[in-house]
Amino acid sequence: MKIALHSICFGLALMTAGIASAHSRSGEGSHGGLPVPEISHGEMAVISDYRTRIMDLASKAMDTSEPFRRVLNYAEIQYSYCLWGRIPGSVTDEESPFNECAHAYLAATKAVLMALRDMPHEAAAAGEIASDVDADMVSRGLSLVTCRFSGEGFNTADVVGPRWSEIPRHPASMASLSGFSAIVALGVFAVRRCLRLQSSE
């Protein structure tokens, strides 16, 4: 029960932090961190499918450098700020309020893969993933697909959150977050009810 309550509180805190920083964009923040090269809209769809493999390999990497760890950490943070990619259309829909933050975590994921290819112990596995990504890109005809965020680079010192103010105008995002809010509300109600029952015993 404590774990469930902790998860709910974390989710609410994350959403609150995101709303509080909604006015900030990657182009307006600090650039004291490391640059993360842009990723095209077409690449996003494929890298998203390989994200788990890339991050699993990165988590086991040996002889990592500080820049690598910073980009890896940025990829994880951005993924959580983008609600773990759970909002429908966040990767594929250019108009999604979550599309820019999806660009950020997937650009960082791609940067992690490129760095893994230069590591002696991970080069072979990373090269295999990269080859699969390239083949998938070609077979799906996504190499030249771009969108308004395709030329945007990122920076590890600048976390990109969803565009919260645009959510009411995006039906898919609105429906998903409404459902999530309802689940959170029910979870909080259930936790409070259980706590009252326990205290009355």
Side-chain angles (χ1 to χ4, degrees):
M1 189 60 65
K2 290 183 179 179
I3 294 176
L5 182 59
H6 180 271
S7 298
I8 291 170
C9 291
F10 176 75
L12 290 173
L14 184 62
M15 290 183 69
T16 301
I19 293 171
S21 62
H23 64 280
S24 179
R25 292 187 68 249
S26 61
E28 299 168 353
S30 167
H31 290 278
L34 300 175
V36 177
E38 70 276 3
I39 186 172
S40 73
H41 195 71
E43 286 179 299
M44 282 177 63
V46 179
I47 291 293
S48 177
D49 291 341
Y50 290 87
R51 182 186 177 277
T52 299
R53 284 178 62 185
I54 295 169
M55 300 307 278
D56 283 349
L57 180 61
S59 69
K60 302 169 186 173
M62 303 171 64
D63 301 322
T64 60
S65 65
E66 182 183 351
F68 174 80
R69 291 191 294 272
R70 288 172 66 183
V71 174
L72 178 61
N73 186 54
Y74 179 73
E76 294 283 19
I77 291 173
Q78 275 296 158
Y79 187 53
S80 65
Y81 262 79
C82 209
L83 300 187
W84 305 279
R86 301 299 183 189
I87 304 300
S90 59
V91 172
T92 58
D93 183 3
E94 178 183 354
E95 300 304 319
S96 169
F98 291 83
N99 191 245
E100 186 180 21
C101 68
H103 266 269
Y105 82 75
L106 290 170
T109 302
K110 178 187 173 184
V112 167
L113 176 60
M114 295 300 100
L116 286 167
R117 293 178 68 184
D118 294 329
M119 296 182 182
H121 295 94
E122 289 74 33
E128 182 179 336
I129 296 174
S131 294
D132 290 345
V133 168
D134 287 341
D136 210 347
M137 287 275 291
V138 173
S139 67
R140 294 164 63 178
L142 297 173
S143 302
L144 300 178
V145 178
T146 62
C147 74
R148 58 177 171 156
F149 300 122
S150 291
E152 181 178 356
F154 300 94
N155 190 283
T156 58
D158 184 16
V159 175
V160 181
R163 295 169 175 265
W164 297 100
S165 63
E166 296 180 10
I167 289 175
R169 300 193 298 273
H170 193 259
S173 298
M174 190 66 183
S176 296
L177 287 178
S178 295
F180 175 75
S181 299
I183 292 172
V184 170
L186 288 172
V188 171
F189 175 77
V191 170
R192 294 179 64 181
R193 180 179 175 83
C194 289
L195 292 176
R196 282 200 302 268
L197 290 174
Q198 290 178 358
S199 63
S200 64
E201 291 179 354

